Amino acid sequence: MPIKNRLAEMHAEITAWRRDIHENPEILYDTHRTSALVAERLKEFGCDEVVTGIGRTGVVGVIKGNTDSKGAVIGLRGDMDALPMQEQTGLDYASKTDGAMHACGHDGHTAMVLGAAKYLAETRNFDGTAVVIFQPAEEGGNGAEAMVKDGMMDRFGIQEVYGMHNVPGLPTGQFAIRSGPMLAAADTFDIALEGHGGHAAKPHETVDATVMASQLIVALQTIVSRNTDPVLQAVVSVTSVETSSNAFNVIPQSARIKGTVRTHSNDMRALIELRVNEVAQGIVATFGGRAEVTYEHGVPVTSNADAQTEYAAEAARIVGGSCVEAPMIMGGEDFSFMLEARPGAFITLGNGDSAGLHHPEYNFNDEIIPFGCSWFAEMVERRMPAA
């Protein structure tokens, strides 16, 4: 049977965990209730070690197999945090916390890794060690980076690491993965423009920050259209514009534009950062103004290792019957920090015909729980087969 029988039996129990987490969402690193719930469950399962406070509020559980002839260690990651938004699902178990919602399915991810942990702790039908990782602050807080910097990989001897995300629109229970770059690096820029303000009836006496900002917004679009290889994917999006005056008859002294950059390679990432700075300085020099560019690196490219991708796809085919090739997308995922530290793979699982991620009517599809749990468990049992 593709889905493991024991995990099928546990479906209702795991669903109850998921809905409890959904009802009590927590944002960024403030996952204190969720982290405590996870740690309590892991101890109940009989994990050999349960450690809290990794990367501030992360939780790690260690499950040893019946044998350990080669010292193999595999990490399985689930993210715990919710989004700062208002839920509009009308569910019986909808968020009880105003302004917080599990709108990305992290409640489901956490529940599925918990389900796999319970199964693995019961059966221990593998040769090595499984490390279950429960991460805070995926949604903008780089919790994966915090856990890695806290020494998690070395402390628990993790050699490979695997993660999963649900995908609305992909058929229920359908797995998808690709080798190499899968999700984008996500960076931000904040450009402060300084001109010389004055009366709108005397524009010749000013250095118009609004005009500089307008020209810069247009010019930034030429980075992708004229500086990058057209067969490669890249995005430069200006998402915010403001000036220092809202008056009809004032030319503002200053303006600020903000935006995001998405790329799938380190070379492209470096090129766009260089060009954002060069274009900004060139535009303001033309008008006689000044620019201060703040460019911040966010999550790196989520890139799957070739061998680990095939291992993950093989487990997916066993559990779900098939595994299709995932598209490259411009969204970012901080699991990339773990993949920089250790070889591994990030796979997606179809959530069916649901509202999109980060939508106020989104809800994780509980029908995919046995698929996700079985895949995590299968990864351990196939990569570390019982001696």
Side-chain angles (χ1 to χ4, degrees):
M1 183 176 179
I3 291 171
K4 296 183 183 296
N5 290 334
R6 177 65 180 123
L7 287 165
E9 293 170 1
M10 293 163 52
H11 190 179
E13 180 182 17
I14 300 168
T15 298
W17 300 340
R18 200 283 292 185
R19 294 185 178 188
D20 178 67
I21 295 169
H22 184 94
E23 195 172 3
N24 297 278
E26 296 173 301
I27 296 169
L28 292 173
Y29 289 96
D30 293 329
T31 57
H32 303 290
R33 181 188 185 277
T34 309
S35 297
L37 181 152
V38 165
E40 181 181 356
R41 291 285 181 273
L42 294 177
K43 291 173 184 176
E44 290 174 359
F45 302 161
C47 290
D48 297 280
E49 186 178 3
V50 178
V51 182
T52 60
I54 305 293
R56 294 170 59 177
T57 49
V59 182
V60 171
V62 177
I63 306 166
K64 296 184 181 298
N66 285 323
T67 56
D68 187 13
S69 64
K70 300 176 182 177
V73 184
I74 288 181
L76 309 174
R77 174 268 209 169
D79 36 11
M80 300 186 290
D81 60 317
L83 283 155
M85 57 187 290
Q86 197 69 31
E87 181 164 350
Q88 297 177 13
T89 62
L91 294 166
D92 293 340
Y93 54 88
S95 171
K96 296 190 297 186
T97 304
D98 190 51
M101 176 193 176
H102 271 291
C104 203
H106 296 186
D107 48 346
H109 304 162
T110 296
M112 289 190 297
V113 178
L114 273 177
K118 181 172 183 178
Y119 167 85
L120 292 168
E122 287 179 355
T123 59
R124 299 184 184 263
N125 188 33
F126 56 95
D127 181 39
T129 302
V131 177
V132 286
I133 302 162
F134 297 88
Q135 177 210 309
E138 192 281 325
E139 297 289 358
N142 291 347
E145 181 183 33
M147 295 188 82
V148 170
K149 285 185 174 180
D150 216 0
M152 176 182 70
M153 296 299 186
D154 291 334
R155 177 173 177 177
F156 299 100
I158 297 169
Q159 298 164 359
E160 299 178 6
V161 64
Y162 297 89
M164 178 189 292
H165 206 292
N166 76 95
V167 176
L170 194 64
T172 301
Q174 173 68 67
F175 289 95
I177 197 171
R178 70 180 300 120
S179 184
M182 184 168 168
L183 288 92
D187 301 331
T188 61
F189 58 86
D190 184 339
I191 306 175
L193 304 171
E194 191 72 16
H196 180 72
H199 200 292
K202 299 180 179 181
H204 60 290
E205 296 179 356
T206 72
V207 175
D208 193 333
T210 303
V211 172
M212 285 194 295
S214 301
Q215 293 291 324
L216 180 53
I217 290 168
V218 173
L220 286 173
Q221 304 312 305
T222 66
I223 296 175
V224 171
S225 66
R226 290 297 177 268
N227 297 141
T228 67
D229 187 332
V231 302
L232 302 177
Q233 298 185 61
V235 169
V236 177
S237 290
V238 175
T239 57
S240 174
V241 186
E242 58 183 344
T243 69
S244 57
S245 172
N246 292 319
F248 289 103
N249 59 349
V250 174
I251 290 176
Q253 176 84 7
S254 60
R256 177 171 296 236
I257 68 173
K258 300 179 182 179
T260 187
V261 173
R262 306 297 173 102
T263 54
H264 279 126
S265 75
N266 289 332
D267 288 345
M268 182 71 74
R269 194 181 195 187
L271 170 65
I272 293 182
E273 179 177 3
L274 174 66
R275 290 299 293 147
V276 167
N277 278 276
E278 290 177 341
V279 169
Q281 298 302 334
I283 290 292
V284 297
T286 299
F287 289 95
R290 299 188 307 278
E292 181 179 344
V293 180
T294 302
Y295 196 101
E296 294 188 355
H297 287 181
V299 299
V301 179
T302 303
S303 188
N304 289 333
D306 292 345
Q308 282 69 31
T309 300
E310 183 49 41
Y311 302 148
E314 181 182 12
R317 287 190 288 267
I318 291 168
V319 171
S322 67
C323 184
V324 300
E325 184 170 3
M328 294 173 69
I329 64 173
M330 305 313 289
E333 163 63 60
D334 81 343
F335 185 65
S336 54
F337 288 108
M338 294 191 188
L339 291 177
E340 283 192 331
R342 293 293 187 273
F346 189 69
I347 198 167
T348 57
L349 176 59
N351 200 57
D353 185 19
S354 70
L357 301 176
H358 295 212
H359 189 280
E361 295 179 4
Y362 166 85
N363 187 38
F364 182 86
N365 183 357
D366 290 325
E367 293 305 308
I368 70 174
I369 285 175
F371 291 91
C373 293
S374 294
W375 179 82
F376 280 118
E378 188 69 26
M379 284 305 308
V380 170
E381 291 180 343
R382 292 195 69 78
R383 289 296 294 130
M384 301 185 294

mmCIF file of all heavy atoms in Angstrom, residues 73-103:
data_model
loop_
_atom_site.group_PDB
_atom_site.id
_atom_site.type_symbol
_atom_site.label_atom_id
_atom_site.label_comp_id
_atom_site.label_asym_id
_atom_site.label_seq_id
_atom_site.Cartn_x
_atom_site.Cartn_y
_atom_site.Cartn_z
ATOM 1 N N VAL A 73 22.599 9.958 9.265
ATOM 2 C CA VAL A 73 21.660 10.858 9.957
ATOM 3 C C VAL A 73 20.933 11.707 8.914
ATOM 4 O O VAL A 73 21.570 12.395 8.107
ATOM 5 C CB VAL A 73 22.368 11.783 10.957
ATOM 6 C CG1 VAL A 73 21.349 12.618 11.727
ATOM 7 C CG2 VAL A 73 23.256 10.995 11.911
ATOM 8 N N ILE A 74 19.615 11.665 8.937
ATOM 9 C CA ILE A 74 18.792 12.431 7.997
ATOM 10 C C ILE A 74 17.883 13.379 8.770
ATOM 11 O O ILE A 74 17.269 12.996 9.766
ATOM 12 C CB ILE A 74 17.948 11.482 7.125
ATOM 13 C CG1 ILE A 74 18.849 10.770 6.120
ATOM 14 C CG2 ILE A 74 16.843 12.236 6.395
ATOM 15 C CD1 ILE A 74 18.112 9.826 5.207
ATOM 16 N N GLY A 75 17.797 14.631 8.302
ATOM 17 C CA GLY A 75 16.930 15.637 8.902
ATOM 18 C C GLY A 75 15.654 15.828 8.100
ATOM 19 O O GLY A 75 15.682 15.835 6.864
ATOM 20 N N LEU A 76 14.530 15.969 8.807
ATOM 21 C CA LEU A 76 13.228 16.235 8.203
ATOM 22 C C LEU A 76 12.687 17.522 8.789
ATOM 23 O O LEU A 76 12.511 17.621 9.998
ATOM 24 C CB LEU A 76 12.251 15.090 8.496
ATOM 25 C CG LEU A 76 12.722 13.667 8.195
ATOM 26 C CD1 LEU A 76 11.688 12.664 8.697
ATOM 27 C CD2 LEU A 76 12.980 13.475 6.705
ATOM 28 N N ARG A 77 12.394 18.505 7.967
ATOM 29 C CA ARG A 77 12.030 19.825 8.479
ATOM 30 C C ARG A 77 10.561 20.171 8.262
ATOM 31 O O ARG A 77 10.001 19.964 7.190
ATOM 32 C CB ARG A 77 12.906 20.874 7.813
ATOM 33 C CG ARG A 77 12.550 22.321 8.137
ATOM 34 C CD ARG A 77 11.581 22.896 7.111
ATOM 35 N NE ARG A 77 11.721 24.323 6.959
ATOM 36 C CZ ARG A 77 11.159 25.037 5.985
ATOM 37 N NH1 ARG A 77 10.424 24.446 5.074
ATOM 38 N NH2 ARG A 77 11.321 26.329 5.904
ATOM 39 N N GLY A 78 9.935 20.721 9.301
ATOM 40 C CA GLY A 78 8.610 21.312 9.221
ATOM 41 C C GLY A 78 8.658 22.721 9.779
ATOM 42 O O GLY A 78 9.386 22.985 10.743
ATOM 43 N N ASP A 79 7.930 23.651 9.182
ATOM 44 C CA ASP A 79 7.901 25.033 9.675
ATOM 45 C C ASP A 79 6.619 25.267 10.476
ATOM 46 O O ASP A 79 5.578 24.707 10.188
ATOM 47 C CB ASP A 79 8.033 26.049 8.546
ATOM 48 C CG ASP A 79 7.330 25.630 7.255
ATOM 49 O OD1 ASP A 79 6.553 24.655 7.277
ATOM 50 O OD2 ASP A 79 7.561 26.274 6.227
ATOM 51 N N MET A 80 6.707 26.116 11.502
ATOM 52 C CA MET A 80 5.632 26.238 12.489
ATOM 53 C C MET A 80 4.875 27.557 12.460
ATOM 54 O O MET A 80 3.783 27.646 13.024
ATOM 55 C CB MET A 80 6.200 26.061 13.904
ATOM 56 C CG MET A 80 6.879 24.747 14.187
ATOM 57 S SD MET A 80 7.367 24.584 15.930
ATOM 58 C CE MET A 80 8.701 25.801 16.033
ATOM 59 N N ASP A 81 5.423 28.611 11.866
ATOM 60 C CA ASP A 81 4.871 29.953 12.054
ATOM 61 C C ASP A 81 3.734 30.272 11.095
ATOM 62 O O ASP A 81 3.606 29.699 10.021
ATOM 63 C CB ASP A 81 5.974 31.003 11.925
ATOM 64 C CG ASP A 81 6.654 30.971 10.565
ATOM 65 O OD1 ASP A 81 6.938 29.870 10.064
ATOM 66 O OD2 ASP A 81 6.909 32.059 10.000
ATOM 67 N N ALA A 82 2.904 31.221 11.526
ATOM 68 C CA ALA A 82 1.760 31.695 10.751
ATOM 69 C C ALA A 82 2.061 33.068 10.146
ATOM 70 O O ALA A 82 3.180 33.588 10.262
ATOM 71 C CB ALA A 82 0.523 31.771 11.646
ATOM 72 N N LEU A 83 1.058 33.658 9.522
ATOM 73 C CA LEU A 83 1.194 34.961 8.867
ATOM 74 C C LEU A 83 0.412 36.034 9.620
ATOM 75 O O LEU A 83 -0.627 35.749 10.222
ATOM 76 C CB LEU A 83 0.678 34.884 7.437
ATOM 77 C CG LEU A 83 1.617 34.212 6.430
ATOM 78 C CD1 LEU A 83 0.838 33.652 5.259
ATOM 79 C CD2 LEU A 83 2.658 35.212 5.948
ATOM 80 N N PRO A 84 0.875 37.286 9.565
ATOM 81 C CA PRO A 84 0.154 38.381 10.225
ATOM 82 C C PRO A 84 -0.997 38.888 9.363
ATOM 83 O O PRO A 84 -0.925 39.974 8.775
ATOM 84 C CB PRO A 84 1.244 39.446 10.404
ATOM 85 C CG PRO A 84 2.172 39.213 9.254
ATOM 86 C CD PRO A 84 2.167 37.730 9.012
ATOM 87 N N MET A 85 -2.079 38.124 9.289
ATOM 88 C CA MET A 85 -3.232 38.500 8.477
ATOM 89 C C MET A 85 -4.492 37.928 9.102
ATOM 90 O O MET A 85 -4.426 37.040 9.956
ATOM 91 C CB MET A 85 -3.064 38.018 7.038
ATOM 92 C CG MET A 85 -2.837 36.537 6.885
ATOM 93 S SD MET A 85 -2.454 36.037 5.179
ATOM 94 C CE MET A 85 -4.038 36.293 4.381
ATOM 95 N N GLN A 86 -5.622 38.442 8.683
ATOM 96 C CA GLN A 86 -6.896 38.057 9.272
ATOM 97 C C GLN A 86 -7.530 36.913 8.488
ATOM 98 O O GLN A 86 -7.660 36.974 7.269
ATOM 99 C CB GLN A 86 -7.853 39.258 9.291
ATOM 100 C CG GLN A 86 -9.030 39.100 10.226
ATOM 101 C CD GLN A 86 -8.616 39.134 11.693
ATOM 102 O OE1 GLN A 86 -7.661 39.795 12.068
ATOM 103 N NE2 GLN A 86 -9.338 38.402 12.532
ATOM 104 N N GLU A 87 -7.922 35.861 9.178
ATOM 105 C CA GLU A 87 -8.536 34.714 8.526
ATOM 106 C C GLU A 87 -9.988 35.010 8.149
ATOM 107 O O GLU A 87 -10.727 35.646 8.901
ATOM 108 C CB GLU A 87 -8.475 33.483 9.444
ATOM 109 C CG GLU A 87 -9.071 32.234 8.827
ATOM 110 C CD GLU A 87 -8.684 30.959 9.555
ATOM 111 O OE1 GLU A 87 -7.801 31.017 10.437
ATOM 112 O OE2 GLU A 87 -9.269 29.915 9.234
ATOM 113 N N GLN A 88 -10.384 34.496 6.969
ATOM 114 C CA GLN A 88 -11.752 34.679 6.488
ATOM 115 C C GLN A 88 -12.316 33.356 5.965
ATOM 116 O O GLN A 88 -13.014 33.318 4.957
ATOM 117 C CB GLN A 88 -11.786 35.736 5.389
ATOM 118 C CG GLN A 88 -11.370 37.120 5.841
ATOM 119 C CD GLN A 88 -11.358 38.129 4.707
ATOM 120 O OE1 GLN A 88 -11.881 37.880 3.623
ATOM 121 N NE2 GLN A 88 -10.761 39.282 4.955
ATOM 122 N N THR A 89 -12.030 32.264 6.649
ATOM 123 C CA THR A 89 -12.489 30.952 6.186
ATOM 124 C C THR A 89 -13.846 30.563 6.743
ATOM 125 O O THR A 89 -14.567 29.776 6.135
ATOM 126 C CB THR A 89 -11.482 29.862 6.575
ATOM 127 O OG1 THR A 89 -11.394 29.813 8.013
ATOM 128 C CG2 THR A 89 -10.108 30.135 5.988
ATOM 129 N N GLY A 90 -14.184 31.061 7.934
ATOM 130 C CA GLY A 90 -15.421 30.656 8.585
ATOM 131 C C GLY A 90 -15.390 29.249 9.132
ATOM 132 O O GLY A 90 -16.436 28.680 9.470
ATOM 133 N N LEU A 91 -14.213 28.664 9.264
ATOM 134 C CA LEU A 91 -14.076 27.303 9.760
ATOM 135 C C LEU A 91 -14.411 27.211 11.250
ATOM 136 O O LEU A 91 -14.244 28.182 11.990
ATOM 137 C CB LEU A 91 -12.639 26.807 9.553
ATOM 138 C CG LEU A 91 -12.177 26.642 8.106
ATOM 139 C CD1 LEU A 91 -10.669 26.489 8.052
ATOM 140 C CD2 LEU A 91 -12.864 25.431 7.475
ATOM 141 N N ASP A 92 -14.843 26.036 11.670
ATOM 142 C CA ASP A 92 -15.086 25.822 13.101
ATOM 143 C C ASP A 92 -13.796 25.984 13.902
ATOM 144 O O ASP A 92 -13.836 26.366 15.076
ATOM 145 C CB ASP A 92 -15.646 24.412 13.340
ATOM 146 C CG ASP A 92 -17.044 24.231 12.762
ATOM 147 O OD1 ASP A 92 -17.707 25.264 12.524
ATOM 148 O OD2 ASP A 92 -17.453 23.083 12.551
ATOM 149 N N TYR A 93 -12.673 25.688 13.280
ATOM 150 C CA TYR A 93 -11.376 25.779 13.965
ATOM 151 C C TYR A 93 -10.554 26.957 13.430
ATOM 152 O O TYR A 93 -9.332 26.919 13.432
ATOM 153 C CB TYR A 93 -10.592 24.468 13.816
ATOM 154 C CG TYR A 93 -10.418 23.995 12.386
ATOM 155 C CD1 TYR A 93 -9.343 24.415 11.611
ATOM 156 C CD2 TYR A 93 -11.334 23.115 11.816
ATOM 157 C CE1 TYR A 93 -9.183 23.979 10.308
ATOM 158 C CE2 TYR A 93 -11.181 22.668 10.517
ATOM 159 C CZ TYR A 93 -10.097 23.106 9.761
ATOM 160 O OH TYR A 93 -9.934 22.673 8.473
ATOM 161 N N ALA A 94 -11.232 27.989 12.976
ATOM 162 C CA ALA A 94 -10.539 29.177 12.475
ATOM 163 C C ALA A 94 -9.709 29.816 13.586
ATOM 164 O O ALA A 94 -9.924 29.581 14.777
ATOM 165 C CB ALA A 94 -11.545 30.181 11.930
ATOM 166 N N SER A 95 -8.774 30.639 13.182
ATOM 167 C CA SER A 95 -7.874 31.310 14.121
ATOM 168 C C SER A 95 -8.632 32.041 15.226
ATOM 169 O O SER A 95 -9.579 32.773 14.969
ATOM 170 C CB SER A 95 -7.007 32.313 13.360
ATOM 171 O OG SER A 95 -6.277 33.127 14.259
ATOM 172 N N LYS A 96 -8.172 31.822 16.445
ATOM 173 C CA LYS A 96 -8.715 32.549 17.593
ATOM 174 C C LYS A 96 -7.874 33.770 17.931
ATOM 175 O O LYS A 96 -8.190 34.493 18.875
ATOM 176 C CB LYS A 96 -8.773 31.624 18.813
ATOM 177 C CG LYS A 96 -9.717 30.439 18.659
ATOM 178 C CD LYS A 96 -9.927 29.701 19.959
ATOM 179 C CE LYS A 96 -8.638 29.086 20.476
ATOM 180 N NZ LYS A 96 -8.858 28.233 21.686
ATOM 181 N N THR A 97 -6.820 34.011 17.150
ATOM 182 C CA THR A 97 -5.906 35.122 17.397
ATOM 183 C C THR A 97 -6.122 36.199 16.352
ATOM 184 O O THR A 97 -5.915 35.967 15.152
ATOM 185 C CB THR A 97 -4.445 34.649 17.360
ATOM 186 O OG1 THR A 97 -4.272 33.594 18.312
ATOM 187 C CG2 THR A 97 -3.495 35.791 17.693
ATOM 188 N N ASP A 98 -6.556 37.354 16.788
ATOM 189 C CA ASP A 98 -6.815 38.455 15.865
ATOM 190 C C ASP A 98 -5.532 38.846 15.140
ATOM 191 O O ASP A 98 -4.492 39.060 15.762
ATOM 192 C CB ASP A 98 -7.369 39.656 16.640
ATOM 193 C CG ASP A 98 -7.889 40.736 15.711
ATOM 194 O OD1 ASP A 98 -8.690 40.422 14.816
ATOM 195 O OD2 ASP A 98 -7.494 41.911 15.898
ATOM 196 N N GLY A 99 -5.616 38.921 13.812
ATOM 197 C CA GLY A 99 -4.465 39.367 13.031
ATOM 198 C C GLY A 99 -3.406 38.319 12.800
ATOM 199 O O GLY A 99 -2.296 38.641 12.370
ATOM 200 N N ALA A 100 -3.722 37.056 13.044
ATOM 201 C CA ALA A 100 -2.776 35.967 12.769
ATOM 202 C C ALA A 100 -3.531 34.809 12.149
ATOM 203 O O ALA A 100 -4.652 34.498 12.550
ATOM 204 C CB ALA A 100 -2.060 35.527 14.041
ATOM 205 N N MET A 101 -2.889 34.158 11.167
ATOM 206 C CA MET A 101 -3.564 33.080 10.436
ATOM 207 C C MET A 101 -2.547 32.129 9.817
ATOM 208 O O MET A 101 -1.528 32.566 9.280
ATOM 209 C CB MET A 101 -4.430 33.673 9.322
ATOM 210 C CG MET A 101 -5.095 32.641 8.438
ATOM 211 S SD MET A 101 -5.804 33.353 6.931
ATOM 212 C CE MET A 101 -6.373 31.857 6.112
ATOM 213 N N HIS A 102 -2.839 30.852 9.848
ATOM 214 C CA HIS A 102 -2.042 29.872 9.111
ATOM 215 C C HIS A 102 -2.530 29.862 7.671
ATOM 216 O O HIS A 102 -3.313 28.998 7.265
ATOM 217 C CB HIS A 102 -2.148 28.486 9.745
ATOM 218 C CG HIS A 102 -1.124 28.247 10.799
ATOM 219 N ND1 HIS A 102 0.221 28.119 10.510
ATOM 220 C CD2 HIS A 102 -1.228 28.141 12.146
ATOM 221 C CE1 HIS A 102 0.900 27.918 11.628
ATOM 222 N NE2 HIS A 102 0.047 27.942 12.635
ATOM 223 N N ALA A 103 -2.026 30.811 6.892
ATOM 224 C CA ALA A 103 -2.459 30.966 5.505
ATOM 225 C C ALA A 103 -1.455 30.389 4.516
ATOM 226 O O ALA A 103 -1.568 30.636 3.313
ATOM 227 C CB ALA A 103 -2.683 32.445 5.199
#
